[in-house]
Amino acid sequence: MDLDETDSLSQLSDQFPGYEKFISHITSVTSTFVLPFLYITDRRNPRITASLLNQICRNSGDCSPTHFAHINATTCFTARLLYDTVLNALARWEVAWENGCRNWPGEDGKRYNDSVDSFLHGLRNLRNKSWEGKAKGNSRTVDEEPNMVLLIEKAERLKDNLPDLIVPLTRLAELSQVKITTIFLSSVRWEDIKPPLGASPDPYFIDIGPPSKQDTIDSLLFEFSSTSTTQLSAGTQDRTYHPSLLPLYEQYVEHVYNVCSLYTTDIQELQYIAAARWPGFVKPVLQEQSEVNADGDPDPDGTRNELTLPASDGRMRLLKFFTPSLTAALDVLYPRLTNAADWALANDPDMQAPEEAQRQINTEGSIIVDHLPRMSKFILLAAFLASTNPAKSDVRMFGRGADKQKRRRRKSASPKKAGAQTTVAKVFPCLFHTVCNSKANQITQRLLGPVVFPLDRLLAILGALLEENDVENRPHEPCFELPGEHTDMELGRVHIYAAITELTSMRALHRTTAVEKLEGPPMYKCGISFGVAGALAKDLQVPLNDLMPTELVSESAAFPLQLLDPRPLKNPADLRLGSEVRDSLDDSADFDDPNLDPSHGPEFDDESPYPEVRSAVANTDDPSIHVTTLRTWVLGLAWAIIMPGVNQFFSLRYPSVPITGIVAQLLSFPIGCFCAAYVPRKTIFGISLNPGPFTIKEHVLITIMASVGASSAYATEIIAVQRVFYNQKFDFGYQWFLVMSSQLIGFSTGGITRRFLVSPPSMIWPVTLVSCALFNTLHSEQYAGIGRLGGLSRGRFFIYVFTSAFLWYFIPGYLFLSLSWFSWVTWIWPHDPVVSQLFGYVHGMGMSVITFDWAQIAYNGSPLAMPWWATANVIVGFVLFYWIATPILYFKNTWYSLYMPISSRTSFDNTQHAYNVTRILTSEDTFNATAYKEYSPIFIPAAFVMSYGLSFASITATIVHCFIHFRKQIWYQARRSLREQADIHARLMSRYPQVPDWWYLSLFTLMFALGVVSIEIWPTEMPVWAFVIALLIAFTYVIPCGMIQAITNQQIGLNVITELIIGYSLPGKPVAMMLFKTFGYISMAQALTFTSDFKLGHYMKIPPRKMFWCQIVAAIVAGTAQLGVQSWMFSNIPDMCSATQKDGFTCPGVEVFGTASIIWGVIGPERLFSSGQLYHNNITNTLLAVLVFFIIGAVSPVVGWLAMKRYPNSLIRYVNPLIFNGTYKIPPASALNYVPWALVGFIFQYVIRRRNFAWWTKYNYVLSAALDAGLAVSIIFIFFVLQYPANGSIGESLQHWWGNTVYYQTADGMGTPVRQLQGSETFGPSIGSW
């Protein structure tokens, strides 16, 4: 066959999406040579393939002498019938009454259906027949001989009906000596119908795979376009297939596919069902359009006035309402119990009379429930409530006991509020309707009809119904004395599950998950109407109205149709729906959650309401997979020794290289898979060496054990400072007690924080989502949250990005360092100090803006993991306080700032040198007031002072903000159990035993004792009361700071406030200051680290008790390893922490920590911030007092809250204490780490998330994990391969080229201030006046 026009192929490709390769294959093969026998296998859509072959062959007949016969082996059930049908089709002979229903007579008048030989004779006569003006008989040349094609559809039926004809048909070209191709089209393999002993030749095989979902939808859309074109050309006024309805039809057919694909994926069957339901589906839209255009001009052709499609919520209402009728159509139309036209007419939604609706005569037919047993009626009523009520209302409806039923239903809005809403609605009806819909988007979708629910939710509601409404009807049994004991026994009996199965077979319940699916609980949907449920409730004497939210009770049995109308509300009473819907949200969400996005709400109840969580976390769990195996403990403890030890070793060296948890996460995966493949499957002492495949839960626990103590313990800095600065060398017992108590006392707060910071779904912890996405990517987990976007798989995408990030970092991290510190403006004016202060990255404000280094961009955490509104808070705070306020203070020479760089991590004396703290210490390392007055006051750069002020503001702002916005949620969560959470992940985790509170209490008691011992037995100068106050500070802030970190990914630090408090309380005691700071700050930080890991385990469904012990054991091992490494280094490395140490072990972190201990512990804040001091100025000029930031921080949330009440829909609702604390890393961070970070966050978390949500859902967190992983591995590789060997002499010439030196050879890199002293000049107050 030869197709002359490529347009024909393109048209066929458009008409048959997904068949492009097959079309190209079949046309190229058949046009090259004549195939005697072709066998095509299509297991899914053979009729579509037959139709396609029909068109290909008939189109080829227009440009070449090809004659085509298409027969169905099912209809040709005798040999005579087959012979006649084939010859008539090839000869293009039409059997008609006019010619006596005679078959093709041929030219010799013989019968060709007596036998195979006569049939072959007929084929030869066809070859010699004159075709369309061509010569016949002997005058025909070989080239003019026509090609014949015989297509036999359902060829597998030949084996049953005509087995003797299979061999002749496969050898038809050979036996007849004509150019004919026999094509068998079958849904079975050739081996299943092949004659024995090789009687038939081997065919040319073509196997057609199943069409994808998108190809099926495209095929259905093509039919819509064809029908639409036909109607327009005919001039009909029927708008059912109007072109402007194509977007709605696309969503409709996708829903049809989702509903029916479990039973059939045949495109023609789906098209038949879709065509039957589409007129009724689109009718509300057309009726609304006709009402809108009732006063306009007629539009006979339907093209001038475009139809207005309903909004997304209206479409979801339509889909929800018509879903049951689609399954009903499948039940009736698929077996052809009736035709589509009659079914559509009988099931027109407008033809459903109200009386019929009340009697449950709907599209699914009548369901008779009168004969059901009493228990089955209770089950059916429980199913109705589970399928109608929002899942988040279960606690309110069923969780308070029978004595509080009257409190279940929320009261309506007060008359005053209702009147105000009515006024607003009258003035701005459309706006009010839009706001209500956007605010209540999730709940309104649940009111549109029955929704799916898990079996465990059904049983829970059933138990509540039985306990409250069936106690008097059950027989008294003395063995059941405790309340609810009999109900629990009933729910566990087999007859409950048998009744559920029976109701499912009656179609009163619908099971929405496949029977063979083992993941997660079975999902069901109720199949009875409001009227039937009311009758059941009346029969059982159950107060149904009290068990449903008010807005549901107020609706009729057909309430989904009433909600289809998108017009503004006219009745003021209807305005209560918006408030009721909002009130029916989870009680834990009494605060205005900025992470809750109504435009991307979940499609089903068993999904998280947050798209970030849905995209990174699977909403299923398999409790049977291994968790704490031998390899989990071995690999986890190995990492808990290696990573903390290596990081402790390099933390005392400059430059350092951190090994982060993502390195362990990546390397553990191949190691675990290797162990699963090659370790013998033997058992020793009852412990399996290899229990099977390496599971994702094992991987999660190994990573948590590796990272829980990976970074250097904060208390090890105290021990090093005591050695280096104060020459105190206490024994290992003191060191171990101090490290263990400071690290683990924060973990003991987990019993408090878990119910506030782990269980609520609003506490999303964005940083954990990156890890979840990487775990699921490495283990190739598939779940609904990643969306249906095609293209690269997440695993392949991760590999590509990881490789690119690894290779790219060689450029800004080794070959061209200036691309990292890309302060290009200072390169133009390298020696201008003013330009350097504004545009420099090292000591300036970083207004050069650009960097090409992901390490600099992700310095504050990945911007792809932080919500955009939180990023906006941080960048707004940065611009206000560092790009506006700080330069103003600097260039006004406030605090003598012009004599210092605008930003530096170093403090200065009055000679513009780094402050020499040793000059103000006595020989006993105590404060020397005389030397202090003779030397110099301490001067801090403007950016450093601003960071102190913002830290003070964030402390008070956090408490006030938490009280204003989170107090109701904290109170509510304090009384709520894990099983009562509305989140799918909390419900899945409720099956595991939780960590008892006494475990946490025991841990706290033990660690508190170790802390007291460490500060009392050894001379630390810290009293026990100070230790208690430090812990009270940590425990006071753990929940407020944890809530902010859980929703923003940014932590509020307590280091400055603890230094300030202890500096005033115990002046002149630096060791006590360091201990107080550690217990007050690190206890909270460790508690949030513990909580973050617990949230990761919550998302990945790790049993809490197993995770608790893994964290505790790993923390103890990691802390011990760090102490051992540090002790070995001080004992074996000469000149440790000396500036001249030959191997670079200069201990930069210890130096900073020790300097801070002297500033805050020796000099003390009283000499810095008190009245009359430099950073308080004088009492009449309080605006320049740094401590005034405490007041600013306390007042700001109140002002913001009042403004939000006045303007509830403005951007003020997104303002957060992050505006003060988001920039807490300045210094040493600069705009280099904030402006590009915010720009990347804006692109991915705002632009891409809004414009291409499908891409963002599938790839965003995988991209973040890949960039972080590639960077971490690249840093380690560069350090150990190119920098550490040979004392860094590798590539020495490369290290000194212009691209690696230009950024620090400027005034910015050298820290040149605007005003420079000459000779012995000094600046600041006169000598002795401080």
Side-chain angles (χ1 to χ4, degrees):
M1 284 174 276
D2 183 21
L3 292 176
D4 294 340
E5 300 288 340
T6 58
D7 291 343
S8 300
L9 289 178
S10 62
Q11 291 175 1
L12 287 176
S13 299
D14 294 338
Q15 185 177 355
F16 298 93
Y19 283 85
E20 293 83 1
K21 292 184 179 180
F22 173 72
I23 294 173
S24 176
H25 190 181
I26 193 70
T27 52
S28 62
V29 168
T30 55
S31 62
T32 305
F33 53 89
V34 177
L35 288 173
F37 181 30
L38 177 63
Y39 194 89
I40 301 176
T41 305
D42 188 348
R43 296 175 177 82
R44 296 296 181 93
N45 294 290
R47 290 190 296 172
I48 301 294
T49 305
S51 177
L52 173 59
L53 289 170
N54 201 332
Q55 293 201 34
I56 291 176
C57 295
R58 296 192 186 281
N59 289 341
S60 64
D62 296 336
C63 51
S64 65
T66 300
H67 307 286
F68 176 67
H70 176 195
I71 68 169
N72 191 313
T74 304
T75 59
C76 299
F77 48 85
T78 65
R80 287 178 178 270
L81 189 57
L82 185 143
Y83 299 152
D84 288 335
T85 305
V86 171
L87 293 175
N88 289 336
L90 291 176
R92 302 175 185 174
W93 175 269
E94 295 185 3
V95 178
W97 287 104
E98 291 77 8
N99 58 21
C101 296
R102 186 176 58 164
N103 294 314
W104 177 64
E107 297 188 1
D108 53 7
K110 294 183 179 180
R111 293 171 57 90
Y112 302 126
N113 59 7
D114 290 335
S115 63
V116 173
D117 292 333
S118 61
F119 173 63
L120 297 176
H121 182 66
L123 290 178
R124 298 188 192 101
N125 279 342
L126 275 174
R127 178 188 60 187
N128 299 325
K129 181 180 178 293
S130 175
W131 299 101
E132 298 182 1
K134 293 183 182 294
K136 66 175 181 176
N138 295 331
S139 63
R140 177 180 298 278
T141 64
V142 176
D143 293 336
E144 294 174 339
E145 180 180 345
N147 297 328
M148 300 183 190
V149 178
L150 171 59
L151 172 62
I152 302 179
E153 186 181 355
K154 293 187 178 296
E156 67 273 9
R157 298 300 296 270
L158 292 175
K159 185 176 182 180
D160 299 327
N161 298 337
L162 303 170
D164 295 337
L165 289 185
I166 295 179
V167 175
L169 290 174
T170 58
R171 295 183 176 273
L172 204 55
E174 174 187 350
L175 297 175
S176 64
Q177 296 298 308
V178 299
K179 295 171 62 176
I180 186 170
T181 299
T182 302
I183 302 176
F184 277 15
L185 176 60
S186 176
S187 59
V188 302
R189 300 179 305 164
W190 167 243
E191 288 75 10
D192 295 335
I193 64 173
K194 178 181 178 180
L197 304 177
S200 294
D202 292 331
Y204 184 92
F205 290 102
I206 297 181
D207 193 0
I208 301 178
S212 65
K213 176 181 177 180
Q214 189 58 48
D215 292 335
T216 304
I217 294 174
D218 291 342
S219 298
L220 299 177
L221 293 177
F222 180 83
E223 296 296 333
F224 179 92
S225 301
S226 302
T227 307
S228 176
T229 304
T230 303
Q231 287 188 353
L232 287 177
S233 60
T236 178
Q237 295 188 13
D238 185 7
R239 288 187 165 194
T240 306
Y241 289 91
H242 194 279
S244 59
L245 294 175
L246 182 59
L248 179 61
Y249 188 79
E250 181 176 3
Q251 192 170 2
Y252 165 74
V253 294
E254 182 178 3
H255 191 67
V256 171
Y257 181 90
N258 293 336
V259 172
C260 302
S261 58
L262 289 175
Y263 308 99
T264 179
T265 56
D266 191 315
I267 296 176
Q268 292 186 342
E269 292 292 344
L270 294 176
Q271 177 63 39
Y272 194 65
I273 296 171
R277 183 70 284 177
W278 172 248
F281 181 87
V282 80
K283 197 167 188 177
V285 180
L286 297 178
Q287 287 177 347
E288 179 191 356
Q289 188 70 20
S290 62
E291 293 175 5
V292 173
N293 296 334
D295 299 331
D297 297 332
D299 182 22
D301 58 359
T303 58
R304 184 171 54 182
N305 294 328
E306 292 294 325
L307 297 178
T308 301
L309 301 182
S312 58
D313 56 345
R315 299 185 191 186
M316 291 304 297
R317 291 186 182 104
L318 284 168
L319 295 175
K320 287 282 188 178
F321 177 71
F322 281 100
T323 297
S325 65
L326 290 176
T327 57
L330 181 68
D331 291 342
V332 175
L333 298 180
Y334 188 55
R336 296 299 188 270
L337 301 180
T338 185
N339 60 75
D342 292 343
W343 185 91
L345 185 63
N347 291 276
D348 190 332
D350 285 349
M351 298 178 62
Q352 300 291 329
E355 310 83 65
E356 294 174 332
Q358 296 294 333
R359 295 195 303 265
Q360 183 60 17
I361 302 178
N362 56 13
T363 55
E364 294 184 76
S366 299
I367 300 176
I368 301 175
V369 296
D370 296 339
H371 68 286
L372 292 177
R374 182 177 178 82
M375 182 60 71
S376 296
K377 292 181 180 180
F378 268 110
I379 294 173
L380 205 52
L381 188 59
F384 173 79
L385 292 170
S387 201
T388 305
N389 286 4
K392 295 180 180 181
S393 67
D394 285 351
V395 177
R396 174 159 56 93
M397 294 294 115
F398 307 103
R400 296 185 177 176
D403 57 332
K404 298 184 179 179
Q405 288 184 6
K406 295 183 180 180
R407 298 178 55 189
R408 283 180 177 149
R409 291 173 54 189
R410 294 185 180 271
K411 296 181 180 180
S412 302
S414 63
K416 181 178 180 180
K417 292 184 179 181
Q421 291 176 346
T422 305
T423 303
V424 173
K426 288 179 179 179
V427 178
F428 304 110
C430 296
L431 175 62
F432 183 84
H433 183 70
T434 302
V435 171
C436 282
N437 281 343
S438 65
K439 290 291 185 183
N441 184 58
Q442 284 184 305
I443 303 302
T444 53
Q445 291 185 12
R446 296 177 184 177
L447 304 181
L448 306 178
V451 295
V452 296
F453 54 85
L455 178 61
D456 52 358
R457 184 175 173 222
L458 170 64
L459 295 177
I461 295 177
L462 175 62
L465 291 177
L466 292 175
E467 191 64 23
E468 295 181 9
N469 302 279
D470 195 48
V471 176
E472 297 178 357
N473 296 299
R474 66 178 60 157
H476 177 70
E477 299 183 29
C479 59
F480 300 114
E481 299 179 354
L482 298 177
E485 192 174 4
H486 184 276
T487 301
D488 292 340
M489 184 275 296
E490 283 289 322
L491 294 179
R493 294 178 62 181
V494 176
H495 79 93
I496 295 289
Y497 300 92
I500 293 175
T501 304
E502 181 183 4
L503 292 173
T504 304
S505 64
M506 294 171 53
R507 302 303 296 272
L509 288 180
H510 302 282
R511 177 163 178 158
T512 59
T513 53
V515 178
E516 62 273 10
K517 182 180 179 182
L518 301 179
E519 297 179 357
M523 306 297 292
Y524 291 89
K525 185 171 64 175
C526 185
I528 66 173
S529 69
F530 187 93
V532 173
L536 286 174
K538 185 177 181 180
D539 180 34
L540 298 172
Q541 297 182 353
V542 174
L544 183 62
N545 289 353
D546 289 341
L547 300 176
M548 299 176 64
T550 307
E551 65 272 14
L552 294 184
V553 176
S554 63
E555 298 290 347
S556 66
F559 68 88
L561 278 179
Q562 296 180 7
L563 292 180
L564 291 178
D565 188 3
R567 290 171 295 179
L569 298 172
K570 297 180 180 180
N571 186 357
D574 293 337
L575 296 176
R576 290 178 301 187
L577 179 61
S579 62
E580 288 293 336
V581 167
R582 237 182 134 179
D583 287 340
S584 64
L585 284 167
D586 184 59
D587 291 317
S588 66
D590 282 332
F591 71 102
D592 194 2
D593 190 351
N595 287 325
L596 196 60
D597 186 359
S599 62
H600 295 112
E603 297 181 7
F604 304 102
D605 285 343
D606 57 347
E607 293 179 352
S608 171
Y610 299 91
E612 294 85 355
V613 178
R614 294 200 301 272
S615 66
V617 184
N619 61 339
T620 57
D621 179 34
D622 183 3
S624 63
I625 65 176
H626 304 294
V627 184
T628 49
T629 61
L630 178 63
R631 62 173 169 244
T632 302
W633 283 105
V634 171
L635 293 178
L637 292 178
W639 281 117
I641 296 173
I642 295 173
M643 284 189 60
V646 172
N647 283 334
Q648 181 67 31
F649 182 83
F650 284 106
S651 68
L652 301 176
R653 185 185 186 276
Y654 184 82
S656 178
V657 53
I659 301 178
T660 60
I662 201 169
V663 176
Q665 186 177 5
L666 288 174
L667 295 181
S668 298
F669 181 66
I671 296 174
C673 293
F674 178 85
C675 293
Y678 295 102
V679 172
R681 296 201 173 188
K682 295 183 178 180
T683 301
I684 299 179
F685 302 114
I687 301 175
S688 176
L689 300 180
N690 184 359
F694 184 58
T695 67
I696 190 172
K697 293 188 178 183
E698 291 179 283
H699 195 184
V700 172
L701 271 185
I702 292 171
T703 304
I704 290 175
M705 294 175 71
S707 59
V708 71
S711 59
S712 178
Y714 208 70
T716 60
E717 302 283 359
I718 300 177
I719 298 168
V721 169
Q722 287 180 283
R723 280 177 175 265
V724 176
F725 281 77
Y726 306 110
N727 197 28
Q728 296 178 348
K729 300 179 181 178
F730 298 153
D731 58 29
F732 189 81
Y734 161 78
Q735 299 176 20
W736 196 84
F737 283 3
L738 178 61
V739 170
M740 291 302 112
S741 59
S742 62
Q743 291 289 97
L744 294 179
I745 205 166
F747 284 7
S748 63
T749 63
I752 302 174
T753 61
R754 62 175 178 173
R755 70 171 62 239
F756 302 104
L757 303 179
V758 177
S759 301
S762 56
M763 302 292 108
I764 63 176
W765 291 90
V767 68
T768 63
L769 300 180
V770 178
S771 299
C772 292
L774 182 54
F775 281 123
N776 288 319
T777 300
L778 292 176
H779 291 266
S780 301
E781 294 289 326
Q782 297 294 325
Y783 48 94
I786 63 176
R788 298 185 290 269
L789 182 69
L792 290 174
S793 66
R794 300 213 305 179
R796 190 177 296 273
F797 180 81
F798 175 83
I799 293 173
Y800 289 161
V801 177
F802 171 84
T803 305
S804 302
F806 173 82
L807 296 176
W808 169 252
Y809 185 72
F810 278 81
I811 299 176
Y814 185 73
L815 301 175
F816 198 168
L817 297 179
S818 295
L819 290 179
S820 178
W821 302 85
F822 199 69
S823 53
W824 58 277
V825 179
T826 65
W827 304 350
I828 302 174
W829 297 280
H831 303 297
D832 190 328
V834 176
V835 173
S836 296
Q837 306 310 316
L838 296 178
F839 296 94
Y841 280 159
V842 182
H843 293 95
M845 286 291 94
M847 295 184 183
S848 298
V849 171
I850 304 173
T851 183
F852 299 92
D853 185 0
W854 180 254
Q856 300 283 16
I857 295 174
Y859 183 82
N860 299 301
S862 173
L864 278 67
M866 188 169 180
W868 163 242
W869 67 268
T871 304
N873 269 275
V874 174
I875 197 61
V876 167
F878 174 82
V879 171
L880 288 178
F881 296 113
Y882 285 100
W883 272 8
I884 297 177
T886 300
I888 292 175
L889 294 173
Y890 180 79
F891 287 105
K892 281 184 171 293
N893 198 28
T894 308
W895 307 307
Y896 304 99
S897 299
L898 287 175
Y899 293 94
M900 299 170 284
I902 193 172
S903 178
S904 175
R905 70 189 72 181
T906 307
S907 55
F908 296 88
D909 60 19
N910 56 11
T911 63
Q912 293 186 331
H913 293 92
Y915 199 86
N916 186 359
V917 294
T918 59
R919 292 185 58 177
I920 62 172
L921 296 177
T922 65
S923 58
E924 290 81 17
D925 294 324
T926 58
F927 179 68
N928 189 333
T930 304
Y932 176 69
K933 290 187 176 183
E934 293 177 352
Y935 176 38
S936 169
I938 188 168
F939 294 93
I940 305 174
F944 215 144
V945 178
M946 182 61 69
S947 70
Y948 279 142
L950 294 178
S951 296
F952 298 154
S954 66
I955 292 301
T956 52
T958 299
I959 290 294
V960 177
H961 179 86
C962 184
F963 175 79
I964 292 176
H965 296 279
F966 298 148
R967 66 184 187 280
K968 292 183 179 179
Q969 186 193 26
I970 292 175
W971 175 249
Y972 182 78
Q973 292 296 335
R975 299 173 294 136
R976 192 174 195 180
S977 68
L978 185 66
R979 186 179 296 274
E980 295 170 339
Q981 295 289 346
D983 185 35
I984 176 62
H985 304 292
R987 294 200 299 269
L988 291 175
M989 285 297 292
S990 65
R991 72 180 66 184
Y992 298 109
Q994 299 302 305
V995 179
D997 290 337
W998 69 267
W999 288 15
Y1000 294 107
L1001 181 61
S1002 301
L1003 180 64
F1004 173 78
T1005 304
L1006 179 60
M1007 293 303 109
F1008 182 83
L1010 291 182
V1012 171
V1013 169
S1014 64
I1015 65 176
E1016 285 293 309
I1017 293 182
W1018 288 272
T1020 62
E1021 299 181 319
M1022 182 178 178
V1024 175
W1025 63 262
F1027 177 44
V1028 174
I1029 291 177
L1031 295 181
L1032 288 177
I1033 294 174
F1035 294 164
T1036 300
Y1037 276 92
V1038 66
I1039 292 178
C1041 294
M1043 284 186 163
I1044 292 177
Q1045 183 176 351
I1047 65 177
T1048 68
N1049 205 34
Q1050 292 289 308
Q1051 186 179 113
I1052 306 293
L1054 299 182
N1055 51 336
V1056 175
I1057 187 62
T1058 52
E1059 291 170 337
L1060 186 71
I1061 292 174
I1062 194 62
Y1064 276 111
S1065 303
L1066 296 174
K1069 297 181 179 180
V1071 176
M1073 190 282 299
M1074 292 188 294
L1075 290 171
F1076 187 91
K1077 174 183 176 181
T1078 299
F1079 285 113
Y1081 168 44
I1082 291 304
S1083 295
M1084 185 207 71
Q1086 284 296 100
L1088 296 185
T1089 299
F1090 179 86
T1091 306
S1092 177
D1093 288 340
F1094 239 92
K1095 189 67 175 185
L1096 176 61
H1098 184 82
Y1099 282 147
M1100 303 307 296
K1101 316 302 179 297
I1102 307 298
R1105 295 189 178 186
K1106 295 180 179 179
M1107 186 169 179
F1108 174 87
W1109 285 114
C1110 287
Q1111 285 182 288
I1112 299 301
V1113 173
I1116 294 174
V1117 172
T1120 306
Q1122 289 173 343
L1123 286 175
V1125 170
Q1126 186 185 67
S1127 178
W1128 178 88
M1129 293 177 71
F1130 276 101
S1131 301
N1132 294 276
I1133 298 179
D1135 298 327
M1136 190 68 184
C1137 295
S1138 171
T1140 59
Q1141 211 286 328
K1142 63 183 183 67
D1143 295 318
F1145 292 101
T1146 57
C1147 309
V1150 174
E1151 182 181 359
V1152 173
F1153 202 91
T1155 303
S1157 72
I1158 294 173
I1159 294 175
W1160 293 94
V1162 178
I1163 299 176
E1166 185 176 357
R1167 295 181 177 89
L1168 295 176
F1169 303 112
S1170 297
S1171 178
Q1173 299 300 323
L1174 178 62
Y1175 295 99
H1176 194 289
N1177 215 12
N1178 56 69
I1179 199 166
T1180 61
N1181 194 8
T1182 56
L1183 287 178
L1184 295 183
V1186 178
L1187 296 183
V1188 79
F1189 277 91
F1190 281 113
I1191 302 175
I1192 296 174
V1195 172
S1196 297
V1198 178
V1199 175
W1201 179 71
L1202 293 175
M1204 186 178 66
K1205 288 294 183 181
R1206 178 65 180 84
Y1207 306 102
N1209 297 317
S1210 65
L1211 295 178
I1212 299 174
R1213 60 190 288 262
Y1214 294 104
V1215 176
N1216 188 276
L1218 282 183
I1219 204 167
F1220 295 124
N1221 187 75
T1223 55
Y1224 75 98
K1225 291 187 178 180
I1226 297 178
S1230 68
L1232 169 69
N1233 310 116
Y1234 284 94
V1235 178
W1237 171 81
L1239 180 62
V1240 173
F1242 173 76
I1243 293 173
F1244 283 92
Q1245 293 288 70
Y1246 184 81
V1247 177
I1248 295 179
R1249 190 180 187 276
R1250 284 176 175 263
R1251 297 191 177 184
N1252 196 343
F1253 185 74
W1255 188 97
W1256 182 91
T1257 297
K1258 185 174 182 179
Y1259 294 124
N1260 180 71
Y1261 289 103
V1262 179
L1263 174 63
S1264 178
L1267 290 173
D1268 292 343
L1271 172 66
V1273 175
S1274 185
I1275 290 175
I1276 295 173
F1277 182 87
I1278 291 174
F1279 180 81
F1280 285 104
V1281 175
L1282 301 176
Q1283 293 178 341
Y1284 187 71
N1287 293 323
S1289 61
I1290 299 176
E1292 186 172 356
S1293 60
L1294 181 65
Q1295 298 173 17
H1296 295 90
W1297 82 286
W1298 175 87
N1300 283 341
T1301 59
V1302 62
Y1303 70 94
Y1304 64 78
Q1305 291 179 347
T1306 62
D1308 170 53
M1310 293 182 289
T1312 304
V1314 173
R1315 293 184 181 178
Q1316 303 179 40
L1317 301 178
Q1318 302 295 329
S1320 59
E1321 291 181 343
T1322 60
F1323 70 94
S1326 58
I1327 296 178
S1329 63
W1330 54 85

